[in-house]
């Protein structure tokens, strides 16, 4: 009996060590530094609920005055979602350099993913390009949470239409994928996130929701992006 218990314990320890390695590898897939632009203040954070997960964000410098930002979420959790996340990173890094617009990237990414995902798997994605010369942001959405745009006291959910990646390669994906462009003013805030933030629940089952994200950002509006991010994370923990 002791021998069986020891063998089980060793197997559990080996599994935990492998998961720790997977967690460390996944962290390396996320950006190791925040891009620096004169007229953009950027901050980001990712905290998986399990050892590994399917949430993903990345940046791509598209010249001295343009920055690509992507946020995605793979359906499901755990190791399989983490593998798909790694695949999405490779696709984004390759396509963002050649895609003419956010919509073009989503169309190409869907073609690359639709035959490699399991039938019950899909990926939601939001891709935006910030142009500091034109002072605007252009974005397309593949079924992901809307971008929150705060300008002064005005807040809006920017929700261009679009289906999740990998659901279909029919023409319906192309027809439903919309692109939007928004002019930005000094002090505007753009928030990208996954439903892990908005759907966080307290002990009573109450969701954090979109309104709280907006309220915290409004109260921290004059702070740095890092401070706004920290305030939102702290409010979720509270």
């Amino acid at each position: 009996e002791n021998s069986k218990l020891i063998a089980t314990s060793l197997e559990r320890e080996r599994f935990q060590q492998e998961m720790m390695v997977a967690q460390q590898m996944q962290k390396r897939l996320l950006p190791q530094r925040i891009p620096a632009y004169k007229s953009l203040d950027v901050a980001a954070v990712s905290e998986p609920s399990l050892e590994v997960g399917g949430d993903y964000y990345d940046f791509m410098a598209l010249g001295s005055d343009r920055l690509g930002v992507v946020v995605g979420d793979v359906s499901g959790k755990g190791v399989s979602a983490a593998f798909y996340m790694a695949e999405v990173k490779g696709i984004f890094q390759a396509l963002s350099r050649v895609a003419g617009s956010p919509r073009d990237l989503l169309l190409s990414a869907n073609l690359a993913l639709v035959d490699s995902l399991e039938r019950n798997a899909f990926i939601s994605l939001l891709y935006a390009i910030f142009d500091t010369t034109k002072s605007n942001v252009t974005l397309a959405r593949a079924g992901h949470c809307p971008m929150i745009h705060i300008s002064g006291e005005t807040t809006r959910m920017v929700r261009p239409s679009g289906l999740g990646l990998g659901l279909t390669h029919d023409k319906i994906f192309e027809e439903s994928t919309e692109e939007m462009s928004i002019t930005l003013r000094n002090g505007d805030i753009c928030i990208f996130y996954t439903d892990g933030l908005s759907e966080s629940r307290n002990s009573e089952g109450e969701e954090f929701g979109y309104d709280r994200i907006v309220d915290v950002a409004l109260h921290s509006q004059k702070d740095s992006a890092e401070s706004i991010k920290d305030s939102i994370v702290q409010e979720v923990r509270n």
Side-chain angles (χ1 to χ4, degrees), residues 70 95 99 101-111 125-127 139-143 161-163 165 173 177-178:
V70 65
L95 293 178
S101 69
R103 182 177 181 273
D104 290 342
L105 183 139
L106 293 190
L107 296 182
S108 298
N110 186 64
L111 287 175
L125 203 73
L126 181 66
Y127 178 49
L139 65 154
R141 187 176 70 103
S161 64
L163 298 172
L165 299 174
F173 185 89
T177 303
E178 183 184 8

Side-chain angles (χ1 to χ4, degrees), residues 129-146:
I129 296 177
F130 288 86
D131 191 318
T132 59
T133 302
K134 298 179 180 177
S135 296
N136 69 7
V137 57
T138 303
L139 65 154
R141 187 176 70 103
H144 195 71
C145 306

Side-chain angles (χ1 to χ4, degrees), residues 18-29:
E18 288 181 353
M19 291 301 292
M20 286 179 63
V21 171
Q23 186 182 46
Q24 292 169 358
M25 291 178 65
Q26 188 174 38
K27 284 183 177 178
R28 293 194 194 103
L29 290 175

Side-chain angles (χ1 to χ4, degrees), residues 25-47:
M25 291 178 65
Q26 188 174 38
K27 284 183 177 178
R28 293 194 194 103
L29 290 175
L30 296 174
Q32 300 303 300
R33 60 186 181 85
I34 300 297
Y37 284 75
K38 287 184 177 179
S39 52
L40 285 177
D41 185 18
V42 185
V45 64
S46 177
E47 294 183 8

